[in-house]
């Protein structure tokens, strides 16, 4: 590989972590005092070590400390002052504030939102569309109390639930909240910021009429599915214009009862029944978006699958099956670092002129992590040097060398 084309003064690992400014890290350290009483293994060393863990998909402390020995003598090139030992990393995961890593993630999202953002939906609807969902990460230890199924060996299976919000035009979480797996989803709705320029989309697990009333009072839109046992009264049946998608079967105004601290009120909502030809089944949606077309509301709910794909992408490509610590703090740090790596690679993917699947991009970075390849140049034309070599030397057959010398 010619140095003039693809050689870089930084390794692939160095190029990825260069997306995180020193000033960003320092501000987070000062804000949460995360280096207090720490002599050697500082917050920056901890952050970069966990980023290495996530990219390499390490399943143990030994793999992280052993793998990073490859950086011995090169620490300055990747801005690491102290390589971690097993015990050092274990202590840091247990004791360092999770808020430091949360701050880094939120600042990165703010910094690179212009790269990740695709504003076409926002421009079309004149609203910010946000998707809300949760995923449960299983744990075979009762770290966060969970009533779950028994594993094969008979041990109780604990779990941590990650509630997330993603802006539909960014496809990375903009808000994350952790609870035990037994916590009901609708508790997360209290943490959402309400304003008249936002529409939230979530599944029926988040059904809460009190929250819906709050959204409506704050002029915040929402779209979700109605529960099968929901009680409501139809007060109006809307006509379905000819230009509406034929999948819309009905468009009704309904009233539901809201019981708030013993005081009962009624809330007006819109219920739309839609037949999905792809899945050959009908869905019923409720919303407080009275000015939107019925088929637009159905289309908005379909967008919700983006967050399911995000959860699948994260679980398939990063280490969330094995955790480096058996305490809540260590697990949350690892999840935040997975989100940071997912965001960094998302920025790389969006900046490329050539299309790469996310899993192939992760695999490439994992294989070449300590190689001095210019990441974006190589990813945009990886076969260029190979084609030049074929043209220069000719394409040899399997036995050409043997026949030439025989």
């Amino acid at each position: 590989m010619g140095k003039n084309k693809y050689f870089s003064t930084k390794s692939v690992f160095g190029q990825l972590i260069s997306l995180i400014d020193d000033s960003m890290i320092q501000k987070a350290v000062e804000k949460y005092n995360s280096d207090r009483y720490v002599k050697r293994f500082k917050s920056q060393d901890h952050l970069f070590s966990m980023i290495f863990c996530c990219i390499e998909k390490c399943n143990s402390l030994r793999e992280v400390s052993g793998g990073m020995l490859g950086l011995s003598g090169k620490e300055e090139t990747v801005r690491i002052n102290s390589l971690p030992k097993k015990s050092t990393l274990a202590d840091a995961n247990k004791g360092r504030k999770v808020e430091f890593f949360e701050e880094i993630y939120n600042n990165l999202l703010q910094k690179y939102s212009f790269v990740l953002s695709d504003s076409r939906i926002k421009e079309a609807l004149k609203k910010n569309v946000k998707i809300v969902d949760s995923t449960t990460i299983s744990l075979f230890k009762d770290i966060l109390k969970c009533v779950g199924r028994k594993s094969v060996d008979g041990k109780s299976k604990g779990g941590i639930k990650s509630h997330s919000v993603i802006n539909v035009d960014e496809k990375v979480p903009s808000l994350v909240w952790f609870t035990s797996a037994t916590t009901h989803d609708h508790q997360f709705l209290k943490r959402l910021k309400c304003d008249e320029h936002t529409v939230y989309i979530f599944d029926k697990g988040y059904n809460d009429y009190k929250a819906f009333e709050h959204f409506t009072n704050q002029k915040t839109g929402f779209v979700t599915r109605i529960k099968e046992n929901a009680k409501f009264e139809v007060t109006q049946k809307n006509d379905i214009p000819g230009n509406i998608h034929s999948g819309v079967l009905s468009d009704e105004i309904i009233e539901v009862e809201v019981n708030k601290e013993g005081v009962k009120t009624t809330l007006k909502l819109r219920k739309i029944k839609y037949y999905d030809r792809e899945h050959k089944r009908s869905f019923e949606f409720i919303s407080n978006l009275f000015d939107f077309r019925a088929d637009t509301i159905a289309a908005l709910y379909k967008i919700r699958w983006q967050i399911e794909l995000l959860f699948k992408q994260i679980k398939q490509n990063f280490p969330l099956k094995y955790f480096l610590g058996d305490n809540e703090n260590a697990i949350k740090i690892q999840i935040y670092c997975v989100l940071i790596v997912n965001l960094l690679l998302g920025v790389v993917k969006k900046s490329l002129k050539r299309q790469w699947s996310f899993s192939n991009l992760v695999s490439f970075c994992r294989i070449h992590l300590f190689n001095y390849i210019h990441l974006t140049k190589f990813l945009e034309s990886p076969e260029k040097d190979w084609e030049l070599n074929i043209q220069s030397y000719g394409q040899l057959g399997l036995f050409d060398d043997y026949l030439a010398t025989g």
Side-chain angles (χ1 to χ4, degrees), residues 20-238:
I20 309 174
D21 298 335
D22 285 334
S23 60
M24 182 187 296
I25 296 172
Q26 190 57 39
K27 287 177 182 177
V29 169
E30 292 173 357
K31 183 174 181 178
Y32 294 104
N33 205 10
S34 59
D35 281 344
R36 189 180 185 186
Y37 304 129
V38 177
K39 293 181 179 179
R40 293 192 63 190
F41 195 57
K42 304 286 187 179
S43 299
Q44 181 163 307
D45 300 332
H46 190 186
L47 172 64
F48 292 161
S49 298
M50 290 302 296
I51 288 176
F52 168 84
C53 164
C54 297
I55 298 174
E56 287 290 358
K57 212 172 183 178
C58 297
N59 294 326
S60 68
L61 293 166
R62 188 182 300 277
E63 287 186 17
V64 180
S65 60
M68 293 196 73
L69 288 176
L71 292 172
S72 296
K74 305 174 185 176
E75 291 91 340
E76 289 186 8
T77 63
V78 290
R79 296 148 59 204
I80 291 179
N81 297 309
S82 176
L83 296 178
K85 295 181 180 179
K86 266 179 53 181
S87 58
T88 305
L89 185 56
D91 291 342
N93 281 339
K94 186 175 182 179
R96 183 159 277 125
K97 293 180 179 178
V98 176
E99 289 80 4
F100 165 77
F101 299 90
E102 181 182 7
E103 183 76 5
I104 294 295
Y105 178 77
N106 290 333
N107 288 339
L108 285 171
L109 182 60
Q110 184 178 2
K111 179 179 179 180
Y112 293 109
S113 61
F114 77 97
V115 178
L116 297 166
S117 180
D118 180 356
S119 59
R120 285 175 294 180
I121 294 177
K122 182 178 179 181
E123 289 173 356
L125 299 178
K126 310 300 181 186
K127 299 268 189 182
N128 295 312
V129 179
K130 298 185 178 185
I131 308 170
V132 180
D133 206 354
S134 65
T135 184
T136 300
I137 299 163
S138 300
L139 309 169
F140 281 91
K141 184 175 176 65
D142 196 16
I143 298 164
L144 293 179
K145 187 177 180 182
C146 171
V147 180
R149 64 179 176 82
K150 296 287 185 180
S151 64
V152 176
D153 59 8
K155 295 181 180 179
S156 295
K157 186 171 185 177
I160 184 170
K161 185 179 285 186
S162 174
H163 303 263
S164 304
V165 177
I166 69 169
N167 296 323
V168 73
D169 56 355
E170 291 179 348
K171 299 181 179 63
V172 293
S174 60
L175 176 64
V176 181
W177 184 47
F178 301 113
T179 67
S180 64
T182 53
T183 303
H184 198 284
D185 285 341
H186 75 79
Q187 297 292 332
F188 181 60
L189 296 181
K190 299 174 183 176
R191 293 179 169 261
L192 301 180
K193 294 181 179 178
C194 294
D195 65 76
E196 60 182 328
H197 304 295
T198 302
V199 175
Y200 287 107
I201 308 168
F202 37 81
D203 66 19
K204 59 185 177 182
Y206 287 90
N207 264 238
D208 184 344
Y209 291 155
K210 287 184 284 187
F212 296 169
E213 185 179 55
H214 177 68
F215 285 163
T216 303
N217 292 338
Q218 299 296 318
K219 299 181 180 179
T220 303
F222 73 87
V223 177
T224 187
R225 286 172 60 194
I226 194 168
K227 286 188 173 182
E228 288 80 1
N229 62 348
K231 295 180 180 179
F232 58 87
E233 181 182 348
V234 178
T235 60
Q236 179 182 327
K237 293 187 177 182
N238 297 328

Side-chain angles (χ1 to χ4, degrees), residues 348-356 376 379-381:
V348 172
K349 185 176 183 295
K350 287 283 286 187
S351 64
L352 296 173
K353 297 176 183 176
R354 177 182 176 135
Q355 291 294 320
W356 278 73
T376 54
L379 289 172
E380 286 178 352
S381 55

